[in-house]
């Protein structure tokens, strides 16, 4: 058995060493904060590994919206096989969610037209998209092996059907940073009474630090959860509690 370490050695943990040494994380964090002030004075201090070109990213994830087959991706083969039973070669050895193997094929009932120099297809459901056809990037090559809603939504937002990967918004915040010191750099606006299936992992940080996760804003009550004290809490007693905890933390540090 190894002899017990002195109390001082036990208390000098790796976290304390990194926060207190001259070139530790505490100094790095301070440099980052000072860098924002220097930038405001015209003295740029770059703290990101890539200089960001984008200023904002708005990602609309519309689960339950119209299918791409009815919007911008017509399928001539579906029209040819309309109202016929799915060919065996299409379904053999494959799994499907909520679809029988003897189901009949249905082509899109929408009328499509081509627009712009790119010849992009748009249906009658989006009559004004054609006016900006050459300014859009439309990706039609995405595929997935996931056959159900939950894993597919996780795949779209994180690139994986398994939990634990950072969401797209977390990566964007990690890469671009934020100029805001008081509000989250990644916010989430949900629609509907219950939000999307899977929930928070769709905007979670995965293995990145928690500061990169999305912060949901609410339309009723406090915009952000846990900002207000629960009913019955007296501000004076709550303030004393935080002061005691802070004092204990300072003494421990």
């Amino acid at each position: 058995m190894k002899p017990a370490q002195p109390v001082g050695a036990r208390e000098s943990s790796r976290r304390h060493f990194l926060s207190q040494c001259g070139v530790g994380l505490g100094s790095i964090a301070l440099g980052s904060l000072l860098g924002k002030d220097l930038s405001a004075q015209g003295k740029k201090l770059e703290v990101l590994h890539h200089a960001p070109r984008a200023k904002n990213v708005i990602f609309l994830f519309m689960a339950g919206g119209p299918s791409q087959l009815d919007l911008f991706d017509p399928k001539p083969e579906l029209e040819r096989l309309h109202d016929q039973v799915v060919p065996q070669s299409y379904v053999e050895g494959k799994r499907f969610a909520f679809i029988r193997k003897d189901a009949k094929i249905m082509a899109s009932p929408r009328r499509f037209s081509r627009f712009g120099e790119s010849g992009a297809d748009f249906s009658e459901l989006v009559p004004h998209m054609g006016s900006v056809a050459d300014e859009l990037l439309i990706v039609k090559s995405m595929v997935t092996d996931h056959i159900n809603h939950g894993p597919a939504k996780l795949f779209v937002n994180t690139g994986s059907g398994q939990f634990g990967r950072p969401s797209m918004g977390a990566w964007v915040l990690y890469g671009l940073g934020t100029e805001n010191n008081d509000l989250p750099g990644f916010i989430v606006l949900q629609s509907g009474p219950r939000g999307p299936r899977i929930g928070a992992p769709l905007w979670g940080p995965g293995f990145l630090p928690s500061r990169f996760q999305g912060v949901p804003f609410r339309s009723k009550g406090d915009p952000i959860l846990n900002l207000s004290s629960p009913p019955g809490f007296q501000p004076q007693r709550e303030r004393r509690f935080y002061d005691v905890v802070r004092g204990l933390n300072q003494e421990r540090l």
Side-chain angles (χ1 to χ4, degrees):
M1 294 180 63
K2 294 182 180 180
Q5 291 181 315
V7 174
R10 289 202 307 268
E11 291 185 350
S12 181
S13 65
R14 180 174 57 181
R15 177 178 298 178
H16 293 138
F17 172 77
L18 290 174
S19 64
Q20 294 176 9
C21 70
V23 293
L25 296 183
S27 300
I28 296 174
L30 178 60
S32 176
L33 293 174
L34 292 177
K36 296 181 179 179
D37 294 336
L38 290 175
S39 179
Q41 300 171 14
K43 302 177 182 178
K44 186 177 180 182
L45 178 62
E46 188 61 65
V47 295
L48 298 174
H49 50 78
H50 289 291
R53 291 182 294 176
K55 294 183 178 180
N56 300 285
V57 176
I58 300 175
F59 174 55
L60 304 179
F61 174 61
M62 297 177 287
S67 167
Q68 73 272 18
L69 304 181
D70 292 326
L71 296 178
F72 54 82
D73 194 11
K75 300 293 186 183
E77 188 70 5
L78 288 182
E79 296 180 7
R80 188 180 70 84
L81 297 174
H82 178 71
D83 206 32
Q84 299 181 33
V85 176
V86 181
Q88 186 65 24
S89 60
Y90 284 29
V91 297
E92 188 175 6
K94 298 179 182 178
R95 295 188 303 156
F96 296 90
F98 314 117
I99 300 178
R100 302 191 313 271
K101 293 187 177 182
D102 60 348
K104 290 186 177 182
I105 291 177
M106 177 181 176
S108 173
R110 309 301 175 183
R111 296 193 306 271
F112 284 81
S113 301
R114 291 193 169 186
F115 296 88
E117 295 183 7
S118 61
D121 293 291
F122 292 104
S123 80
E124 58 190 336
L125 291 180
V126 284
H128 303 296
M129 295 290 285
S131 63
V132 292
D134 293 330
E135 300 178 34
L136 301 176
L137 172 63
I138 302 175
V139 180
K140 298 184 179 180
S141 57
M142 293 184 65
V143 297
T144 177
D145 295 328
H146 302 290
I147 64 171
N148 218 328
H149 297 81
K153 292 180 180 180
L154 194 63
F155 178 77
V156 169
N157 284 271
T158 69
S160 172
Q162 303 293 326
F163 291 102
R165 298 290 301 181
S167 63
M168 186 186 305
W171 279 124
V172 169
L173 181 58
Y174 173 82
L176 297 184
T178 177
E179 296 178 352
N180 198 323
N181 293 324
D182 303 315
L183 292 175
F186 173 22
I187 64 172
V188 179
L189 303 178
Q190 303 181 62
S191 63
R194 63 175 177 81
R197 289 183 177 90
I198 300 296
L202 298 184
W203 52 83
F207 52 74
L208 294 176
S210 59
R211 66 179 180 274
F212 295 114
Q213 70 183 4
V215 177
F217 278 17
R218 303 193 307 163
S219 59
K220 295 182 180 179
D222 289 339
I224 302 177
L225 287 172
N226 304 319
L227 285 184
S228 299
S229 301
F233 275 64
Q234 298 179 2
Q236 296 81 1
R237 295 190 61 184
E238 191 173 6
R239 180 70 267 168
R240 288 199 298 269
F241 166 78
Y242 291 135
D243 289 342
V244 169
V245 172
R246 183 179 60 181
L248 292 173
N249 286 336
Q250 289 295 329
E251 183 177 350
R252 181 71 175 84
L253 182 62

